[in-house]
Amino acid sequence: MSATAAALSLLGLAALAVLGLHGAARALRVSADPLPVMPFGSGLEPVEHAVSRFHVRWYTVTMLFLAFDMEMVFMYPWTLVVSAMGPGAVIEMFVFLAILVAGVVYAWREGALRWT
């Protein structure tokens, strides 16, 4: 058998497997009908659409969350190498944390965290 015939037969087997899985999923699914409108938050009845727009203040809070989330991404590996790196690593981490705290203080002073 040539390489082309082997590749085509392998492609055919893969296509049959995909079609078989698709057919099995279609045959075994519970319901094809969409569900009626259901609550999307905490089990309460929705008062607005699930994809409604958010107030612009939420974006600032989101950016602050992402900044502190990235802090955690950097701090986990830092905790593993801090003893090998010495006091320089501790100083660098405190500088990094000071920059993040300065960002929070700036957002606080600008009123980004005020909801009234």
Side-chain angles (χ1 to χ4, degrees), residues 1 3-19:
M1 180 183 325
T4 306
L8 286 176
S9 62
L10 186 60
L11 181 64
L13 283 173
L16 283 174
V18 168
L19 287 174

PDB file of all heavy atoms in Angstrom, residues 1 3-19:
ATOM      1  N   MET A   1       0.853  -1.170   0.000  1.00  0.00           N
ATOM      2  CA  MET A   1       0.000   0.000   0.000  1.00  0.00           C
ATOM      3  C   MET A   1       0.899   1.234   0.000  1.00  0.00           C
ATOM      4  O   MET A   1       1.859   1.325   0.745  1.00  0.00           O
ATOM      5  CB  MET A   1      -0.901  -0.019   1.239  1.00  0.00           C
ATOM      6  CG  MET A   1      -1.787   1.161   1.277  1.00  0.00           C
ATOM      7  SD  MET A   1      -2.904   1.425   2.679  1.00  0.00           S
ATOM      8  CE  MET A   1      -3.475  -0.082   3.250  1.00  0.00           C
ATOM      9  N   ALA A   3       1.920   5.328   0.412  1.00  0.00           N
ATOM     10  CA  ALA A   3       1.750   6.293   1.500  1.00  0.00           C
ATOM     11  C   ALA A   3       0.482   7.117   1.312  1.00  0.00           C
ATOM     12  O   ALA A   3      -0.197   7.469   2.282  1.00  0.00           O
ATOM     13  CB  ALA A   3       2.972   7.204   1.580  1.00  0.00           C
ATOM     14  N   THR A   4       0.151   7.410   0.065  1.00  0.00           N
ATOM     15  CA  THR A   4      -1.058   8.200  -0.200  1.00  0.00           C
ATOM     16  C   THR A   4      -2.300   7.407   0.180  1.00  0.00           C
ATOM     17  O   THR A   4      -3.230   7.944   0.792  1.00  0.00           O
ATOM     18  CB  THR A   4      -1.113   8.590  -1.695  1.00  0.00           C
ATOM     19  OG1 THR A   4       0.094   9.245  -2.050  1.00  0.00           O
ATOM     20  CG2 THR A   4      -2.288   9.493  -1.976  1.00  0.00           C
ATOM     21  N   ALA A   5      -2.326   6.125  -0.168  1.00  0.00           N
ATOM     22  CA  ALA A   5      -3.488   5.298   0.165  1.00  0.00           C
ATOM     23  C   ALA A   5      -3.613   5.136   1.676  1.00  0.00           C
ATOM     24  O   ALA A   5      -4.727   5.162   2.225  1.00  0.00           O
ATOM     25  CB  ALA A   5      -3.371   3.944  -0.520  1.00  0.00           C
ATOM     26  N   ALA A   6      -2.497   4.996   2.364  1.00  0.00           N
ATOM     27  CA  ALA A   6      -2.535   4.868   3.820  1.00  0.00           C
ATOM     28  C   ALA A   6      -3.052   6.156   4.459  1.00  0.00           C
ATOM     29  O   ALA A   6      -3.860   6.125   5.398  1.00  0.00           O
ATOM     30  CB  ALA A   6      -1.148   4.526   4.350  1.00  0.00           C
ATOM     31  N   ALA A   7      -2.600   7.312   3.959  1.00  0.00           N
ATOM     32  CA  ALA A   7      -3.049   8.595   4.499  1.00  0.00           C
ATOM     33  C   ALA A   7      -4.531   8.797   4.244  1.00  0.00           C
ATOM     34  O   ALA A   7      -5.272   9.264   5.123  1.00  0.00           O
ATOM     35  CB  ALA A   7      -2.238   9.728   3.889  1.00  0.00           C
ATOM     36  N   LEU A   8      -5.001   8.418   3.029  1.00  0.00           N
ATOM     37  CA  LEU A   8      -6.420   8.574   2.712  1.00  0.00           C
ATOM     38  C   LEU A   8      -7.283   7.633   3.555  1.00  0.00           C
ATOM     39  O   LEU A   8      -8.375   8.011   4.001  1.00  0.00           O
ATOM     40  CB  LEU A   8      -6.658   8.347   1.229  1.00  0.00           C
ATOM     41  CG  LEU A   8      -6.183   9.480   0.311  1.00  0.00           C
ATOM     42  CD1 LEU A   8      -6.388   9.093  -1.148  1.00  0.00           C
ATOM     43  CD2 LEU A   8      -6.928  10.767   0.625  1.00  0.00           C
ATOM     44  N   SER A   9      -6.815   6.418   3.783  1.00  0.00           N
ATOM     45  CA  SER A   9      -7.600   5.509   4.607  1.00  0.00           C
ATOM     46  C   SER A   9      -7.636   5.975   6.063  1.00  0.00           C
ATOM     47  O   SER A   9      -8.665   5.859   6.734  1.00  0.00           O
ATOM     48  CB  SER A   9      -7.041   4.089   4.514  1.00  0.00           C
ATOM     49  OG  SER A   9      -5.722   4.050   5.012  1.00  0.00           O
ATOM     50  N   LEU A  10      -6.533   6.518   6.545  1.00  0.00           N
ATOM     51  CA  LEU A  10      -6.517   7.071   7.901  1.00  0.00           C
ATOM     52  C   LEU A  10      -7.453   8.273   8.013  1.00  0.00           C
ATOM     53  O   LEU A  10      -8.175   8.421   8.999  1.00  0.00           O
ATOM     54  CB  LEU A  10      -5.093   7.466   8.288  1.00  0.00           C
ATOM     55  CG  LEU A  10      -4.880   7.930   9.717  1.00  0.00           C
ATOM     56  CD1 LEU A  10      -5.271   6.833  10.697  1.00  0.00           C
ATOM     57  CD2 LEU A  10      -3.444   8.340   9.931  1.00  0.00           C
ATOM     58  N   LEU A  11      -7.467   9.112   6.988  1.00  0.00           N
ATOM     59  CA  LEU A  11      -8.379  10.257   6.958  1.00  0.00           C
ATOM     60  C   LEU A  11      -9.827   9.788   6.928  1.00  0.00           C
ATOM     61  O   LEU A  11     -10.696  10.340   7.607  1.00  0.00           O
ATOM     62  CB  LEU A  11      -8.071  11.154   5.748  1.00  0.00           C
ATOM     63  CG  LEU A  11      -8.922  12.395   5.592  1.00  0.00           C
ATOM     64  CD1 LEU A  11      -8.691  13.351   6.761  1.00  0.00           C
ATOM     65  CD2 LEU A  11      -8.640  13.074   4.272  1.00  0.00           C
ATOM     66  N   GLY A  12     -10.112   8.732   6.157  1.00  0.00           N
ATOM     67  CA  GLY A  12     -11.464   8.184   6.108  1.00  0.00           C
ATOM     68  C   GLY A  12     -11.898   7.622   7.449  1.00  0.00           C
ATOM     69  O   GLY A  12     -13.046   7.809   7.876  1.00  0.00           O
ATOM     70  N   LEU A  13     -10.988   6.924   8.124  1.00  0.00           N
ATOM     71  CA  LEU A  13     -11.315   6.400   9.457  1.00  0.00           C
ATOM     72  C   LEU A  13     -11.588   7.528  10.448  1.00  0.00           C
ATOM     73  O   LEU A  13     -12.511   7.437  11.262  1.00  0.00           O
ATOM     74  CB  LEU A  13     -10.187   5.507   9.961  1.00  0.00           C
ATOM     75  CG  LEU A  13     -10.110   4.110   9.364  1.00  0.00           C
ATOM     76  CD1 LEU A  13      -8.849   3.405   9.835  1.00  0.00           C
ATOM     77  CD2 LEU A  13     -11.339   3.319   9.739  1.00  0.00           C
ATOM     78  N   ALA A  14     -10.790   8.578  10.384  1.00  0.00           N
ATOM     79  CA  ALA A  14     -11.010   9.720  11.277  1.00  0.00           C
ATOM     80  C   ALA A  14     -12.351  10.373  10.985  1.00  0.00           C
ATOM     81  O   ALA A  14     -13.090  10.745  11.909  1.00  0.00           O
ATOM     82  CB  ALA A  14      -9.876  10.725  11.134  1.00  0.00           C
ATOM     83  N   ALA A  15     -12.699  10.517   9.712  1.00  0.00           N
ATOM     84  CA  ALA A  15     -13.983  11.116   9.343  1.00  0.00           C
ATOM     85  C   ALA A  15     -15.138  10.247   9.827  1.00  0.00           C
ATOM     86  O   ALA A  15     -16.150  10.757  10.337  1.00  0.00           O
ATOM     87  CB  ALA A  15     -14.056  11.329   7.839  1.00  0.00           C
ATOM     88  N   LEU A  16     -14.998   8.933   9.688  1.00  0.00           N
ATOM     89  CA  LEU A  16     -16.048   8.028  10.175  1.00  0.00           C
ATOM     90  C   LEU A  16     -16.186   8.109  11.694  1.00  0.00           C
ATOM     91  O   LEU A  16     -17.305   8.061  12.224  1.00  0.00           O
ATOM     92  CB  LEU A  16     -15.759   6.600   9.748  1.00  0.00           C
ATOM     93  CG  LEU A  16     -16.062   6.262   8.288  1.00  0.00           C
ATOM     94  CD1 LEU A  16     -15.602   4.849   7.964  1.00  0.00           C
ATOM     95  CD2 LEU A  16     -17.546   6.422   8.004  1.00  0.00           C
ATOM     96  N   ALA A  17     -15.076   8.226  12.400  1.00  0.00           N
ATOM     97  CA  ALA A  17     -15.137   8.347  13.856  1.00  0.00           C
ATOM     98  C   ALA A  17     -15.834   9.630  14.272  1.00  0.00           C
ATOM     99  O   ALA A  17     -16.674   9.630  15.184  1.00  0.00           O
ATOM    100  CB  ALA A  17     -13.722   8.292  14.443  1.00  0.00           C
ATOM    101  N   VAL A  18     -15.519  10.735  13.597  1.00  0.00           N
ATOM    102  CA  VAL A  18     -16.161  12.006  13.922  1.00  0.00           C
ATOM    103  C   VAL A  18     -17.645  11.940  13.622  1.00  0.00           C
ATOM    104  O   VAL A  18     -18.482  12.379  14.427  1.00  0.00           O
ATOM    105  CB  VAL A  18     -15.475  13.172  13.159  1.00  0.00           C
ATOM    106  CG1 VAL A  18     -16.292  14.442  13.248  1.00  0.00           C
ATOM    107  CG2 VAL A  18     -14.077  13.395  13.692  1.00  0.00           C
ATOM    108  N   LEU A  19     -18.006  11.392  12.479  1.00  0.00           N
ATOM    109  CA  LEU A  19     -19.424  11.271  12.135  1.00  0.00           C
ATOM    110  C   LEU A  19     -20.142  10.339  13.101  1.00  0.00           C
ATOM    111  O   LEU A  19     -21.296  10.589  13.478  1.00  0.00           O
ATOM    112  CB  LEU A  19     -19.575  10.782  10.702  1.00  0.00           C
ATOM    113  CG  LEU A  19     -19.235  11.814   9.617  1.00  0.00           C
ATOM    114  CD1 LEU A  19     -19.284  11.171   8.239  1.00  0.00           C
ATOM    115  CD2 LEU A  19     -20.186  12.990   9.694  1.00  0.00           C
TER     116      LEU A  19
END
